[in-house]
Amino acid sequence: MDAITHGEWVVEQYFEGSNNLSSQFLDYRFKFNEDGTLIGTANSINTNGTWAPNVSDYTIESDFPTATDPLKKLNGLWKIKDSDWDYVKAEMSTPDGIKLLILRKK
């Protein structure tokens, strides 16, 4: 919890199947707060969301309810595949295939 709630995060990589869509997130910074709120900021514009970790299942659910692309691509249940103090690698299974997300702390 401490690792994710301290500092800002950026999307280092984002794939939908073999499609690399990472460049859509270049301007975004993310702040995960201890109270379950999540803020995505791009070009001084904040988009509010929520996040909920499940430590026993190694998952994080994120939701930006009013977001458009690309932020709405982050909505859903992410399975943590690898993590450390400064990065998180997660995957989401969808009917269209696997999404891959790598966040890096800035």
Side-chain angles (χ1 to χ4, degrees), residues 41-53:
T41 304
N43 304 314
S44 300
I45 298 171
N46 291 338
T47 303
N48 295 318
T50 59
W51 72 289

Side-chain angles (χ1 to χ4, degrees), residues 68-88:
T68 58
D69 277 338
L71 281 188
K72 73 178 184 180
K73 294 178 182 298
L74 302 179
N75 291 346
L77 186 64
W78 293 91
K79 178 76 172 174
I80 306 299
K81 296 297 188 176
D82 193 14
S83 66
D84 206 340
W85 284 98
D86 65 345
Y87 77 95
V88 174

Side-chain angles (χ1 to χ4, degrees), residues 9 13 16 34 43 46 49-50 55 60 66 72 79 84 95 104-105:
W9 294 81
Q13 293 186 29
E16 290 181 352
E34 291 181 18
N43 304 314
N46 291 338
T50 59
V55 177
I60 293 177
T66 63
K72 73 178 184 180
K79 178 76 172 174
D84 206 340
R104 180 75 57 182
K105 190 181 288 190

